[in-house]
Amino acid sequence: MGWTEYLDTHQARFVEELCDFIRIPSVSAKPENAGDVRVAGQWVVDRLTAAGIENAAMFDTAGHPVVCADWLHAGPDKPTILIYGHFDVQPAEPFDLWKTPPFDPTIRDGRVYGRGATDDKGAMLIPILAAEALLADTGRLPVNVRFFFEGQEEIGSPDLPPFIEANLDRLQADMIFSADGGQWDPETPQLILALKGVTSLEITVTGPHSDLHSGMHGGGVANPAQGLAHLLASMKAPDGRITIAGFYDDVVELSDEDRAAIAQVPWDEAAYLAQTGAPVTHGEPGYTTRENLWARPTFEINGLTSGWQGEGTKTVLPSVASAKVTCRLVADQSPERIFDLIAAHVAAHCPPGVTAEVKRNPGRADPFLVPAGHNATAIAGQVLEEVYGKAPYKTRVGGSIPVMSTLLDELGLHAVIFAFGHEDENQHAPNEFFRLPTFRLGQTAYVRLMQRLGE
Ligand code: BES
Ligand code: MN
Ligand code: MN
């Protein structure tokens, strides 16, 4: 049976298997799900083995495990590729916004709904199925293939750098392809040429040693919530420009060519406003919204906590106020340097009467900018053009994949995103889904990629 026929004949089983995979609640952020992340890792080991991939094994790290496997019999004259993906998922809360339960996948309108369906379980299963089809068809793969899947991407891969350093022999390759990422839309491919980095932190402002009566003490002592509001307002101007000293110093400015390339990708302002529900677009002055989304750094408050959060009034002067913040970074910003600049800013601008402390939260990633002319990008683009019948858009994204820069540092290789989710599939949100036609198309694309690389 040829590989196309094999994929078609077995598609129903593959969808069942994807549903089994989604049923495992491998939420890396929640300690109570650590066992489930391991179960998902073992599921991946078993699935790789069933596909005919060799040496599939789970490896421990200081945190969640990783899975490695390989098939290395294509011969020394053929390239070795490393395929990356992650089997952990984001928390599914708030549960009540899901039409069907997040870990009880259901199929509606040719889509499978469930947490992790697109990010990244459906997408990371694709290359395994492509390899299975080729092995079933020809008994071999056209290139040497290594698989590298992790269980901690969604918390920033904190324990991967030491694992990678200690296991370079298992990861040695000529090219890296990421099965995490995505395509433009079901009809249009894309080549993602940049991912943002991230630094994650929490600012805590403290004042009195306990909450106080706001009438008896207001005007007598400083209010930490007011202090925090002042600090946050001092870091970003109302026009969208970040006002932390040195914040933009290391940013690689967009060249005229970069701006022209970005402008070639269609932008629909009305559709964006409809998608987000925001009244107008808003970002750093001097850049288009697309440029801000793709190529400029951000400072975003992700959570704010202080005082009475219930209904109505409680006349309290809170003793503590805190904010969770993440900054998305672009080349050549460093997450560590940006954290230091924020800490220095907070120290310099803390208003009188309160104290402010800044601490890093787990989750960091270096920005990732693929150099022009990277050879694997060209081949990936050709395969996408063949499979979709359309040239890929050249895009960037605001998301991050922390391990990409570790792989670059340790293996000297830029990953090429070769992945088949779409932006509208509710990643990290309620009602996440994956389109089954894309699931199938991605399998063909991975087969063709391996075949092209083996020619
Ligand atoms: N798959 C995403 C990143 C992504 C999104 C790549 C869209 C390409 C297109 C990934 O799983 C993710 O969500 N990463 C986190 C990393 C963070 C926890 C450090 C992110 O970007 O928030
Ligand atoms: Mn992902
Ligand atoms: Mn994600």
Side-chain angles (χ1 to χ4, degrees), residues 409-425:
D409 292 346
E410 296 298 330
L411 299 172
L413 297 171
H414 269 95
V416 170
I417 309 281
F418 202 75
F420 294 90
H422 297 121
E423 258 193 29
D424 66 351
E425 290 175 336

Side-chain angles (χ1 to χ4, degrees), residues 59-61 66 68 148 159-167 170-171:
F59 296 88
D60 282 323
T61 70
V66 307
C68 295
F148 177 50
D159 310 301
L160 282 225
F163 175 84
I164 290 170
E165 279 162 41
N167 290 276
R170 286 180 211 291
L171 303 171

Side-chain angles (χ1 to χ4, degrees), residues 280-354:
V280 288
T281 54
H282 180 74
E284 191 189 336
Y287 297 91
T288 66
T289 301
R290 177 73 93 203
E291 288 168 351
N292 274 318
L293 288 170
W294 283 0
R296 296 297 296 174
T298 66
F299 175 98
E300 295 302 325
I301 302 166
N302 303 133
L304 268 178
T305 311
S306 187
W308 175 243
Q309 311 269 328
E311 227 179 284
T313 304
K314 182 186 180 198
T315 49
V316 65
L317 192 162
S319 78
V320 183
S322 66
K324 290 178 188 285
V325 172
T326 52
C327 294
R328 295 287 172 161
L329 311 177
V330 302
D332 286 328
Q333 290 178 300
S334 133
E336 286 68 34
R337 171 138 202 273
I338 292 298
F339 174 82
D340 291 344
L341 292 175
I342 293 171
H345 178 101
V346 167
H349 292 82
C350 184
V354 292

Side-chain angles (χ1 to χ4, degrees), residues 86 119-120 153-154 180-181 427:
H86 62 91
D119 187 15
D120 184 35
E153 195 275 342
E154 298 290 11
D180 188 29
Q427 284 192 29

Side-chain angles (χ1 to χ4, degrees), residues 86 90 119 153-156 180-182 192 195 198 328 363-364 397 399-402 427-428:
H86 62 91
Q90 286 272 327
D119 187 15
E153 195 275 342
E154 298 290 11
I155 54 170
D180 188 29
I192 298 177
L195 297 169
V198 66
R328 295 287 172 161
R364 56 86 66 202
V397 289
S400 311
I401 306 176
Q427 284 192 29
H428 298 197

Side-chain angles (χ1 to χ4, degrees), residues 394-411:
K394 296 202 166 68
T395 66
R396 305 179 181 214
V397 289
S400 311
I401 306 176
V403 78
M404 295 289 113
S405 63
T406 314
L407 292 172
L408 175 61
D409 292 346
E410 296 298 330
L411 299 172

